[in-house]
Amino acid sequence: MSSAPIRSPTLRPHRMKKDESFLGKLGGTLARKKKAKEVSDLQEEGKNAINAPMNPSAVDIHPEDTLLEENEERTMIDPNSKEDPKFKELIKVLIDWINDVLVEERIIVKQLEEDLYDGQVLQKLLEKLADRKLNVAEVTQSEIGQKQKLQTVLEAVHDLLRPHGWTIKWNVDSIHGKNLISILHLLVALAMHFRAPIRLPEHVSVQVVVVRKREGLLQTTHVTEELTTTTDVFILIFFFPVKPERDAFDTLFDHAPDKLSVVKKSLITFVNKHLNKLNLEVTELETQFADGVYLVLLMGLLEDYFVPLHNFYLTPESFDQKVHNVSFAFELMQDGGLKKPKARPEDVVNLDLKSTLRVLYNLFTKYKNVE
């Protein structure tokens, strides 16, 4: 879904004719009508705008970011802030959360600006979180259609957030314009409003470069933008009640590793209680369920039926055979009345412990009293 943004080539004013420089283009007709001195002043002001404050060589302002109308402004994150570990962590946590929520939609977000700007992913995310369907076109290619979809999605978001006192720090133009700060404000608000089972890094701030055009000249200022404060009230601990579809395994792994061994021990006891009937025993959850065989056999034991051997690979050798087994086990779980697992079969096969624990915990919650 993501696509690499196309950036203009590095600017080299001293190798370009005056009328071909991006500052000449910026001024358009106005610049061409000015006297030589005024054009020179405009160019000098443009250089100052690009090379200004805080870290002169680091502020990466591209020509397209300075093609502004009179009184228009544009913001960009200072490169130093982009390298802040807490800022990177915030982005990763939010991307992982979105992908977890939308796993059933087979949507994978890789880059927030490129994947969320057109409203498609935001629509699916809000529909999933709020458990409601939005009356918008599923796919829109035109800019007008995308902005209309965004308008509908954001209005629904605002209806949810405003009664709870949220300050709206985004709009259709900023989201569609791929403004990362606006997108982050929106996602943080959604995650906190819906009490996402994640831990947002606290006190994340970034330096933002604001470029404005006044009387034909570019002006820059630097402001500090606070993205998160403290999120203690939203921490979900594994042993607290949570909605079945909103488990807290991420929190368990990140913030309660001492509880992890307790959970694993309980699940091992549960599965062995049933697999022992076939003289099978599990000691390592990470590896022994990865080929899907034990999952299939376990479902037969829990539902009290024999699974025909021709329906799965008893000794799978390839990755595809293992994925087939896990997928088949998932179908048996759904036949037994469980919701479709959020984990992907590929993740279980790839020894992803969290995915395996999620699957087994769902079985445990339904079948823990089965003898």
Side-chain angles (χ1 to χ4, degrees):
M1 179 179 292
S2 301
S3 60
I6 301 176
R7 292 186 172 180
S8 298
T10 305
L11 207 61
R12 303 182 185 277
H14 61 284
R15 295 183 181 179
M16 301 174 64
K17 296 179 182 180
K18 177 177 63 180
D19 292 338
E20 293 175 342
S21 70
F22 78 84
L23 289 172
K25 295 178 182 178
L26 170 67
T29 303
L30 176 63
R32 289 192 294 271
K33 290 182 178 179
K34 285 181 176 291
K35 296 179 181 179
K37 183 177 184 304
E38 291 174 322
V39 173
S40 176
D41 291 342
L42 176 61
Q43 291 177 330
E44 186 64 30
E45 181 67 25
K47 292 177 183 177
N48 292 336
I50 295 175
N51 298 318
M54 302 186 65
N55 193 334
S57 61
V59 180
D60 185 19
I61 302 179
H62 300 287
E64 61 266 28
D65 291 326
T66 61
L67 297 176
L68 308 178
E69 300 295 334
E70 184 66 23
N71 295 320
E72 186 183 355
E73 71 176 40
R74 192 162 299 172
T75 61
M76 56 216 75
I77 302 172
D78 186 281
N80 286 336
S81 292
K82 286 186 176 181
E83 297 304 314
D84 187 325
K86 291 175 70 174
F87 179 72
K88 290 183 175 181
E89 181 188 359
L90 176 63
I91 292 178
K92 181 181 185 303
V93 168
L94 290 172
I95 288 177
D96 289 346
W97 170 59
I98 295 171
N99 288 334
D100 188 51
V101 172
L102 298 180
V103 65
E104 293 181 2
E105 301 287 340
R106 302 303 182 194
I107 291 175
I108 299 178
V109 170
K110 296 181 180 179
Q111 189 176 356
L112 294 178
E113 310 98 296
E114 295 298 329
D115 294 341
L116 271 65
Y117 81 95
D118 62 359
Q120 180 75 13
V121 174
L122 285 175
Q123 171 205 342
K124 297 296 184 182
L125 180 64
L126 183 61
E127 288 180 339
K128 197 73 174 178
L129 293 173
D131 193 23
R132 57 174 290 195
K133 186 72 176 175
L134 297 179
N135 184 23
V136 293
E138 282 300 316
V139 179
T140 55
Q141 297 295 335
S142 69
E143 179 177 339
I144 294 177
Q146 291 171 353
K147 287 189 173 183
Q148 287 175 341
K149 169 178 278 193
L150 266 176
Q151 183 68 39
T152 301
V153 173
L154 294 184
E155 285 177 357
V157 171
H158 300 166
D159 290 342
L160 288 171
L161 299 183
R162 278 201 178 105
H164 299 279
W166 283 98
T167 300
I168 306 303
K169 297 182 178 180
W170 56 85
N171 55 45
V172 171
D173 288 334
S174 65
I175 300 296
H176 194 268
K178 304 180 183 181
N179 185 305
L180 182 56
I181 294 297
S182 294
I183 293 172
L184 288 173
H185 276 308
L186 171 59
L187 293 176
V188 168
L190 288 174
M192 297 178 74
H193 176 77
F194 286 102
R195 301 201 173 211
I198 58 177
R199 176 68 183 266
L200 298 174
E202 300 179 3
H203 304 295
V204 179
S205 297
V206 292
Q207 290 294 321
V208 177
V209 182
V210 182
V211 181
R212 297 182 180 88
K213 187 175 181 182
R214 296 288 186 269
E215 298 181 357
L217 303 180
L218 296 179
Q219 302 172 354
T220 61
T221 55
H222 287 68
V223 297
T224 300
E225 191 77 23
E226 186 178 62
L227 297 173
T228 68
T229 53
T230 178
T231 57
D232 287 342
V233 295
F234 299 102
I235 297 174
L236 295 181
I237 301 176
F238 180 73
F239 291 98
F240 285 4
V242 294
K243 295 180 180 180
E245 72 275 18
R246 303 289 295 279
D247 64 67
F249 277 99
D250 286 321
T251 302
L252 174 67
F253 272 68
D254 295 339
H255 304 289
D258 55 314
K259 303 290 193 305
L260 181 59
S261 60
V262 177
V263 174
K264 290 173 65 176
K265 183 177 180 180
S266 298
L267 292 177
I268 288 175
T269 300
F270 163 70
V271 298
N272 281 335
K273 173 184 173 182
H274 300 282
L275 290 176
N276 286 166
K277 299 172 186 176
L278 299 177
N279 294 321
L280 301 173
E281 185 170 359
V282 170
T283 56
E284 291 293 334
L285 297 178
E286 297 94 322
T287 59
Q288 289 181 267
F289 285 96
D291 63 7
V293 176
Y294 278 15
L295 276 178
V296 172
L297 297 177
L298 181 59
M299 281 307 303
L301 291 166
L302 293 173
E303 286 290 330
D304 195 23
Y305 56 69
F306 175 76
V307 182
L309 298 181
H310 66 267
N311 285 337
F312 67 104
Y313 298 94
L314 192 58
T315 56
E317 297 180 356
S318 68
F319 181 83
D320 288 341
Q321 289 178 348
K322 295 176 182 179
V323 170
H324 168 85
N325 283 355
V326 178
S327 299
F328 178 55
F330 284 7
E331 292 176 10
L332 297 179
M333 293 174 196
Q334 290 177 270
D335 291 342
L338 286 169
K339 290 184 177 181
K340 183 179 180 180
K342 282 191 172 184
R344 300 187 311 157
E346 293 83 357
D347 293 333
V348 175
V349 175
N350 283 326
L351 309 180
D352 183 78
L353 180 58
K354 269 192 284 190
S355 296
T356 303
L357 290 180
R358 286 185 174 111
V359 172
L360 294 177
Y361 183 72
N362 284 340
L363 295 179
F364 173 78
T365 56
K366 178 174 183 179
Y367 298 104
K368 59 185 175 183
N369 295 322
V370 172
E371 293 299 328

